[in-house]
Amino acid sequence: MVFANPFFVLSIFNTTKAYFLLISIKGVIKIDNFIKKNYYFVSNIKTGTLTIIDSLCNTILKEISVGRRPFNLAVKDANTIVVACDLSNTISFVNCINGEIKQHIIPNNGNMQVDKVNEKIYVSNVSEVTIYDMNLEKSFGSIKGFSAIIDLKLNKDGSKIYILDTLLKELRIYSTDSYKLISVFDNLDVNPTCILISNDDKTVYISMQHYISKINIDSKIITNLILAKGSLISGMVLSNTTLYASNIGLNRIDLINIYTNKTYDFVFTSKSEPTRLFLTDDNTKLLVTNRCCDDYGGIDIIDIESRSIIGSILMSTINSQPYDIISLSLPYTYAPPVAVTTLKSDNKLITIIAEKIFATYNESLNFPFIKINLPKSSNSYYVFDEIKFQPGIIVDRSEFRNRLSTESGFSNIKFILRVNYTIDYRENNKSNKINGFYEKPVDTFVDLRKERELNEFKLNIKTTTKVTSTPIILNHVISFGVICLMELKIVGIDEIYLPCLNETFNNIGEDFETFVGYGNSIFPDDKILLH
């Protein structure tokens, strides 16, 4: 099946590589340069759609039909998303460049895994897992003997597949080379729901709904992570020493230290029923799907550093029930201007040590179409009040510095600029707020002294945001556009040379205007009045 109206949003970026040349005294530096732009993809169980979201301004770009009850999502290659739909018994390939959708009739229960290392796709159908080639054209066999497969995961190098059976209450580990059974963990507690494998392939975490079992694969030692009363875990991701667990029972995300096995913090979600979690590639944001039955589900965006929600995206349809979420980066060419070097020093007699601006860079960031969904209620009306923009910041851990050549002073500095905002509005004369943000990858080339270390410099950011189109609320959607003027100063400690204070100046030939008009004091009666 080919989607009638292609997903043209991504095609506005030319994915052909561009070469940006810097001319220096030493010669020509050729830079094969591109920036990747991220898009979020969300499967919606009830509506049978795939939602595409621009990650920079958190705006829904498009919703496309992919099959009945889409569950798991995966990335097949640089341009293709894989969607497993259990009611329509289809596995769909969505090409994000030309909008083409290819549906393959394959029985499944919504669970599948894509092994890009070994170029295989594993598809679960309740009682067995079938292995296909990457194009779903050839079957390599199947792994059978299950009662109710509820989850399956591949380890990092694709050498093992973990299969969880909720009725048999067991976890089986198979080799992906021979499909032979390696290990079995049976007699698990009632209702195991999902699994998570550590990057080193030594630990597996199993959600038992009300608690989490931590299993050492080598020693087979099982440790239970005790959670707060009323917990109900539906999804997990792991980052460094923190296990993030979506707690559908308490409407929050629990942060668990994997060494102490204790919850040390939590973040409440904006909607009920947090389901799946996704950690962005730069490890700065945690994305949460909120199913929220009988209401508008959505996506919460949690900043890892501050452990707070920095944005929420509501789905366009009530009870769409967003389930899985992934991200795909597509490159587009970009020829960044070179930052302007300033403050050239002169040899004078007096020297001071001070902070100096070594280079400046200005860029105008334009976001003409930002749309924020509000809850749709037949009995509600909305009035826009105000939008407040905060000063721009550099996203934590997004900064990258690289010396391009030891022969010249050219360096490449990259980071992600983020501007947070708050929208004040009224619903039935009751004041409400909604938070949001937009981001822009900034990539600039700087001519800095080659004898200086890049880490010596500080980046000073100043932003001025203006609304380019008046915010309006139409059909429960707030729409507006902004332009953000960003000024980057690259600051470092340096020796500054000043003119000698004892230097005399020759004023011969200069004309000065004579001050006339008062014969006496400029204050009447020589009095100064103080107010």
Side-chain angles (χ1 to χ4, degrees):
M1 179 184 74
V2 178
F3 185 47
N5 184 11
F7 175 28
F8 60 89
V9 178
L10 303 187
S11 65
I12 62 175
F13 302 110
N14 180 8
T15 56
T16 305
K17 291 184 178 180
Y19 294 93
F20 182 66
L21 300 181
L22 295 179
I23 310 298
S24 70
I25 296 176
K26 299 292 183 180
V28 178
I29 302 172
K30 184 172 71 172
I31 304 167
D32 183 6
N33 182 58
F34 64 89
I35 296 177
K36 288 189 174 182
K37 185 175 183 179
N38 289 317
Y39 295 86
Y40 304 144
F41 295 82
V42 183
S43 61
N44 295 276
I45 296 175
K46 283 290 186 181
T47 58
T49 56
L50 185 69
T51 300
I52 300 102
I53 299 171
D54 186 336
S55 71
L56 294 183
C57 55
N58 306 308
T59 293
I60 293 177
L61 300 176
K62 209 172 192 64
E63 289 190 342
I64 57 178
S65 298
V66 291
R68 295 173 59 195
R69 205 159 70 174
F71 274 94
N72 285 3
L73 303 176
V75 176
K76 177 178 180 286
D77 53 43
N79 304 323
T80 309
I81 297 293
V82 185
V83 188
C85 306
D86 70 336
L87 281 185
S88 57
N89 277 323
T90 57
I91 303 293
S92 297
F93 292 162
V94 180
N95 188 305
C96 299
I97 299 298
N98 59 24
E100 183 182 33
I101 300 178
K102 293 182 179 179
Q103 285 190 342
H104 301 265
I105 305 300
I106 294 177
N108 70 89
N109 66 341
N111 287 309
M112 58 86 189
Q113 288 282 286
V114 174
D115 180 6
K116 292 192 286 187
V117 177
N118 301 302
E119 296 187 340
K120 297 177 183 177
I121 298 180
Y122 296 80
V123 179
S124 164
N125 186 26
V126 183
S127 61
E128 65 180 4
V129 175
T130 305
I131 305 98
Y132 298 90
D133 70 316
M134 287 294 279
N135 295 318
L136 296 176
E137 296 174 350
K138 179 182 178 181
S139 172
F140 297 117
S142 59
I143 305 173
K144 302 181 179 181
F146 300 94
S147 292
I149 299 173
I150 196 168
D151 197 11
L152 66 156
K153 291 288 190 302
L154 288 162
N155 64 344
K156 190 173 183 180
D157 61 9
S159 61
K160 301 175 186 176
I161 186 165
Y162 293 66
I163 305 175
L164 182 64
D165 191 313
T166 188
L167 285 184
L168 296 180
K169 296 184 293 184
E170 64 181 23
L171 173 69
R172 301 183 195 176
I173 306 175
Y174 291 85
S175 167
T176 56
D177 290 333
S178 60
Y179 311 125
K180 290 184 178 179
L181 184 64
I182 298 175
S183 300
V184 178
F185 296 91
D186 53 10
N187 296 319
L188 301 175
D189 206 345
V190 179
N191 294 328
T193 56
C194 60
I195 55 179
L196 175 67
I197 308 165
S198 62
N199 286 331
D200 60 10
D201 200 22
K202 293 182 179 179
T203 308
V204 59
Y205 299 87
I206 305 178
S207 165
M208 298 298 176
Q209 291 196 343
H210 300 296
Y211 66 93
I212 298 173
S213 284
K214 174 183 175 182
I215 302 176
N216 186 301
I217 296 174
D218 294 331
S219 66
K220 299 187 183 300
I221 296 176
I222 300 178
T223 304
N224 290 334
L225 281 58
I226 306 302
L227 306 175
K229 185 178 180 181
S231 294
L232 194 63
I233 303 301
S234 58
M236 299 176 290
V237 294
L238 186 62
S239 176
N240 298 322
T241 62
T242 299
L243 175 67
Y244 296 90
S246 54
N247 194 329
I248 197 172
L250 299 178
N251 298 338
R252 70 188 197 185
I253 307 302
D254 286 344
L255 281 63
I256 305 168
N257 187 299
I258 60 173
Y259 293 126
T260 64
N261 302 321
K262 295 181 179 179
T263 300
Y264 67 89
D265 202 356
F266 57 84
V267 180
F268 283 112
T269 52
S270 64
K271 292 283 187 177
S272 61
E273 302 179 63
T275 306
R276 288 297 184 96
L277 304 175
F278 179 83
L279 204 63
T280 56
D281 293 338
D282 57 9
N283 284 329
T284 62
K285 293 187 283 291
L286 180 70
L287 309 181
V288 186
T289 57
N290 297 313
R291 288 183 63 177
C292 200
C293 297
D294 300 323
D295 199 351
Y296 286 88
I299 308 299
D300 280 339
I301 305 172
I302 297 176
D303 180 74
I304 295 296
E305 189 72 18
S306 63
R307 303 172 196 166
S308 61
I309 294 178
I310 55 176
S312 296
I313 307 168
L314 283 183
M315 295 294 102
S316 301
T317 308
I318 194 169
N319 196 24
S320 64
Q321 295 190 28
Y323 182 76
D324 202 7
I325 180 169
I326 59 173
S327 175
L328 183 65
S329 299
L330 294 178
Y332 65 96
T333 58
Y334 176 66
V338 179
V340 180
T341 305
T342 59
L343 287 184
K344 295 181 179 179
S345 59
D346 298 321
N347 290 326
K348 297 297 180 181
L349 298 178
I350 296 179
T351 305
I352 65 171
I353 296 177
E355 284 193 336
K356 168 183 171 180
I357 301 174
F358 281 82
T360 61
Y361 171 70
N362 297 280
E363 185 173 350
S364 179
L365 315 178
N366 188 21
F367 294 86
F369 305 107
I370 298 179
K371 295 183 179 181
I372 308 296
N373 288 334
L374 298 175
K376 297 179 183 178
S377 173
S378 58
N379 298 322
S380 295
Y381 65 91
Y382 300 91
V383 177
F384 170 80
D385 284 336
E386 185 181 14
I387 182 169
K388 302 173 185 175
F389 296 96
Q390 298 180 16
I393 61 172
I394 295 177
V395 175
D396 290 319
R397 292 179 284 182
S398 70
E399 186 181 323
F400 174 78
R401 306 182 186 191
N402 181 40
R403 183 75 73 179
L404 296 178
S405 171
T406 56
E407 298 295 326
S408 70
F410 282 114
S411 299
N412 182 209
I413 297 179
K414 301 179 182 180
F415 58 88
I416 297 176
L417 172 72
R418 178 187 296 165
V419 175
N420 294 286
Y421 59 83
T422 301
I423 297 176
D424 294 325
Y425 68 96
R426 282 171 287 157
E427 179 182 358
N428 298 337
N429 291 325
K430 182 180 179 181
S431 297
N432 277 319
K433 295 179 182 291
I434 185 169
N435 296 322
F437 67 93
Y438 58 84
E439 292 181 336
K440 173 69 167 61
V442 176
D443 189 352
T444 183
F445 295 96
V446 189
D447 185 7
L448 297 172
R449 297 176 186 173
K450 61 182 180 180
E451 64 270 12
R452 298 289 296 264
E453 294 292 332
L454 288 181
N455 291 333
E456 295 180 25
F457 299 100
K458 296 188 299 183
L459 304 185
N460 189 309
I461 291 288
K462 181 181 178 181
T463 58
T464 303
T465 303
K466 296 181 180 179
V467 177
T468 57
S469 59
T470 303
I472 60 172
I473 299 180
L474 183 63
N475 294 328
H476 308 88
V477 176
I478 299 179
S479 302
F480 62 97
V482 299
I483 187 169
C484 176
L485 302 178
M486 181 204 72
E487 181 181 15
L488 167 66
K489 291 184 174 68
I490 300 173
V491 180
I493 302 296
D494 199 20
E495 294 181 350
I496 308 295
Y497 299 93
L498 300 177
C500 178
L501 297 179
N502 295 325
E503 184 176 350
T504 59
F505 298 91
N506 184 5
N507 297 325
I508 298 175
E510 294 187 15
D511 296 325
F512 295 90
E513 181 182 354
T514 304
F515 187 87
V516 296
Y518 288 96
N520 299 311
S521 170
I522 63 174
F523 298 105
D525 301 324
D526 291 331
K527 294 180 181 179
I528 301 176
L529 299 178
L530 300 179
H531 297 279

